[in-house]
Amino acid sequence: MKKILLALCVVFTVVFTASCKKNNPPQPVDPFNGHSYVDLELPSGILWATCNVGATQPEEYGDYFCWGYPKAIKKGEYIVWQTYLEKLGGEGTSEEDCGTDKDPLKDYVFGGSKFKFETEAGTPDCIGATEWDAAKYNWQGGWRMPSYAEFEELLENTEFSMDELNGVQVAKLVSKRNGQCLYFPLAGYIDDDKVYGTESAGYYYVSTADTEYPDECWYMNCSSYGVYMSYDDRY
């Protein structure tokens, strides 16, 4: 039952967090629609934005979101399955209603007509690039949430380490190809209207729904233990 900080990407060249060259300070790279991105020379050509939705600097936490609800969750806002589904425009009251006619995202989750698990980076899946995509909704243009495959590509082509940026604990991913890097601030998560885990871990939703349960989705987890993909509730 948590709202997880959101990462995002651009469809054709693009996806998320901070630009630096080896150990140099981060520098903006070719702003796109008012936002900067970094080219890690990934096989797909995907470019990642230099900060999160709701942030203006790479170390800033930015906004928190529920998966599939494109507007930021306000601090102090209490979310349960019923309020989450109501925000989407549905009438469900529990996780058992996910994937049914009471769930506006039923077509995009496991068992739905638009559900797909892309294995290649460069193509959006599930809610990616749709009206339910928080990156697309908030940043417009070609920006969208990254897919599971795009995060996997990112992790396979970068080296991970922990770092500190302007006093904030961040996970740093440095490209194996050109030394450019991304910063993922350890922004924690919101649960029962409180923020937990800041400076300990960062959780980043992807556009991809879980491949088995309609009430769950994938996300990236980063901490001093490493970076890996996992899945959890959609809020």
Side-chain angles (χ1 to χ4, degrees):
M1 299 192 334
K2 51 178 173 282
K3 282 75 70 179
I4 300 177
L5 185 63
L6 181 70
L8 50 98
C9 78
V10 173
V11 175
F12 27 98
T13 37
V14 128
V15 208
F16 157 61
T17 332
S19 154
C20 76
K21 184 69 172 180
K22 299 190 182 301
N23 294 321
N24 293 333
Q27 299 292 329
V29 181
D30 297 327
F32 182 83
N33 201 30
H35 303 283
S36 298
Y37 61 81
V38 58
D39 185 359
L40 302 171
E41 295 185 2
L42 299 173
S44 68
I46 290 292
L47 304 176
W48 288 70
T50 57
C51 63
N52 289 312
V53 172
T56 58
Q57 299 296 325
E59 73 275 13
E60 293 178 0
Y61 293 165
D63 294 328
Y64 295 80
F65 295 85
C66 297
W67 190 85
Y69 182 64
K71 297 181 180 180
I73 300 300
K74 299 178 181 179
K75 291 183 179 180
E77 190 172 3
Y78 187 76
I79 303 292
V80 295
W81 277 111
Q82 182 172 351
T83 54
Y84 164 65
L85 291 169
E86 286 177 351
K87 282 181 174 295
L88 296 175
E91 300 178 348
T93 58
S94 72
E95 65 268 32
E96 295 179 355
D97 293 318
C98 292
T100 71
D101 289 339
K102 296 180 179 181
D103 178 10
L105 297 180
K106 67 174 184 175
D107 290 339
Y108 301 92
V109 298
F110 178 73
S113 61
K114 298 180 181 179
F115 172 81
K116 57 180 178 178
F117 185 90
E118 288 290 344
T119 58
E120 298 292 333
T123 303
D125 63 11
C126 298
I127 63 170
T130 71
E131 62 182 304
W132 308 104
D133 184 325
K136 180 178 178 61
Y137 177 86
N138 288 280
W139 281 19
Q140 300 298 310
W143 294 102
R144 62 170 172 82
M145 295 171 65
S147 66
Y148 178 100
E150 285 160 349
F151 257 112
E152 285 285 281
E153 178 190 56
L154 175 66
L155 301 183
E156 290 172 0
N157 289 277
T158 56
E159 295 286 350
F160 161 79
S161 65
M162 292 300 300
D163 203 346
E164 185 175 295
L165 184 63
N166 295 325
V168 178
Q169 289 295 308
V170 296
K172 182 170 72 173
L173 298 179
V174 181
S175 172
K176 297 176 182 178
R177 294 168 176 254
N178 64 5
Q180 297 278 349
C181 73
L182 302 177
Y183 292 117
F184 288 83
L186 305 189
Y189 61 91
I190 296 177
D191 193 0
D192 293 340
D193 77 5
K194 295 181 180 180
V195 180
Y196 296 92
T198 56
E199 299 291 288
S200 298
Y203 306 90
Y204 291 80
Y205 276 137
V206 303
S207 63
T208 313
D210 183 51
T211 54
E212 188 173 0
Y213 301 105
D215 59 323
E216 297 186 346
C217 63
W218 288 95
Y219 68 93
M220 185 273 280
N221 184 327
C222 57
S223 70
S224 59
Y225 295 102
V227 183
Y228 61 89
M229 303 300 294
S230 187
Y231 56 89
D232 205 339
D233 291 344
R234 284 160 41 185
Y235 80 94

